[in-house]
Amino acid sequence: MDEDEVARVSRTPEEVFRDFRGRRAGMIKALTTDVDKFYQQCDPEKENLCLYGFPNETWEVNLPAEEVPPELPEPALGINFARDGMAEKDWLSLVAVHSDAWLLAVAFYFGARFGFDKESRRQLHNMINNLPTIYEVVTGTVKQQSREKNPNGTSKSNKSSSKKAEPQKPSKMPPSKEEDGSRVEDAEENEEHENTLCGACGDNYANDEFWICCDMCEKWFHGKCVRITPARAEHIKQYKCPSCSNNKRGRA
């Protein structure tokens, strides 16, 4: 965290949001698809460690900045100390909450430093608020909220028939209804799919991207986020996302 990093952010709400979104994506990776690596780096025997997210969608576990006060707000200290003292799921959720707080602090630090007026601050807040929090992505709260918004949805029964989604074929994500289904039903299904969020990065469903559903937790993922290609998916009988695979193995 240095002066150069601040200089790379332009003085507009859109650029600050872009910085926020990149950092957020990196931290989500640490807590989902890269969770094994993240877990190992958070050794309780080490000093106070922090989880950093960067604008280029990468993450890092490191010691806090030495300068006082730091150039940017610092993440929560000592995330590694609680690792072995609580259930892994609860620990990851706790880190996620603190990560959300840090992202907001950094974004509105930029807003204050760049002199955002009331309307610019509102614009930045609205853009951030349209994304699910890291906590919601990590805990699966996003999916639960989506189901509550679509009580008549049929995603669960549809997903049980096919877990893969081919690019350029949105009817397979989730699988389409029978060919003689009504247009009203299809419209409701498409609306529900638009509310589907990737369990790794938290971004919305797009019908031109390959998606795959976990057979265990029933969360959907961009193929690129979990490193699954359409060709590889064709040979997977039962797909387990990184989180479900890790939970099954368990840790001492």
Side-chain angles (χ1 to χ4, degrees), residues 103-169:
L103 288 176
L104 289 173
V106 171
F108 283 92
Y109 165 84
F110 284 135
R113 178 157 184 172
F114 298 156
F116 284 2
D117 58 18
K118 182 177 181 180
E119 183 57 35
S120 294
R121 293 194 302 271
R122 179 185 291 112
Q123 183 181 355
L124 176 60
H125 174 271
N126 289 341
M127 288 188 290
I128 291 174
N129 201 42
N130 285 332
L131 292 175
T133 64
I134 296 178
Y135 175 82
E136 289 173 333
V137 173
V138 170
T139 62
T141 306
V142 173
K143 182 178 179 182
Q144 181 180 354
Q145 291 175 344
S146 178
R147 284 179 173 177
E148 291 174 352
K149 291 179 181 179
N150 298 276
N152 297 323
T154 57
S155 60
K156 186 172 183 179
S157 60
N158 284 337
K159 289 176 182 176
S160 64
S161 62
S162 175
K163 299 296 179 180
K164 287 85 179 179
E166 295 290 348
Q168 303 299 334
K169 295 181 181 179

Side-chain angles (χ1 to χ4, degrees), residues 63-124:
L63 295 171
E66 294 183 359
E67 67 264 26
V68 178
E71 180 58 39
L72 291 179
E74 284 290 300
L77 296 174
I79 59 173
N80 51 315
F81 295 149
R83 191 195 73 176
D84 295 342
M86 57 198 306
E88 179 183 347
K89 181 179 180 181
D90 294 336
W91 175 66
L92 292 174
S93 298
L94 180 63
V95 176
V97 169
H98 283 290
S99 298
D100 283 319
W102 177 68
L103 288 176
L104 289 173
V106 171
F108 283 92
Y109 165 84
F110 284 135
R113 178 157 184 172
F114 298 156
F116 284 2
D117 58 18
K118 182 177 181 180
E119 183 57 35
S120 294
R121 293 194 302 271
R122 179 185 291 112
Q123 183 181 355
L124 176 60

Side-chain angles (χ1 to χ4, degrees), residues 181-238:
S182 68
R183 291 193 177 187
V184 175
E185 290 175 327
D186 289 340
E188 291 177 349
E189 185 179 11
N190 289 334
E191 181 179 355
E192 179 183 359
H193 302 170
E194 292 175 357
N195 293 325
T196 302
L197 300 175
C198 175
C201 70
D203 283 347
N204 292 85
Y205 162 69
N207 59 19
D208 61 346
E209 297 178 305
F210 171 73
W211 283 57
I212 188 168
C213 181
C214 175
D215 288 275
M216 303 300 292
C217 65
E218 294 191 343
K219 292 181 181 179
W220 285 91
F221 298 86
H222 290 111
K224 62 183 180 181
C225 289
V226 290
R227 299 183 178 87
I228 299 293
T229 63
R232 182 180 175 187
E234 291 300 323
H235 300 284
I236 300 177
K237 293 182 179 180
Q238 185 181 54

Side-chain angles (χ1 to χ4, degrees), residues 35-42 83-84 88 91 251:
V35 69
D36 273 344
K37 182 179 178 182
F38 171 68
Y39 186 94
Q40 293 170 2
Q41 291 188 16
C42 291
R83 191 195 73 176
D84 295 342
E88 179 183 347
W91 175 66
R251 292 189 173 92

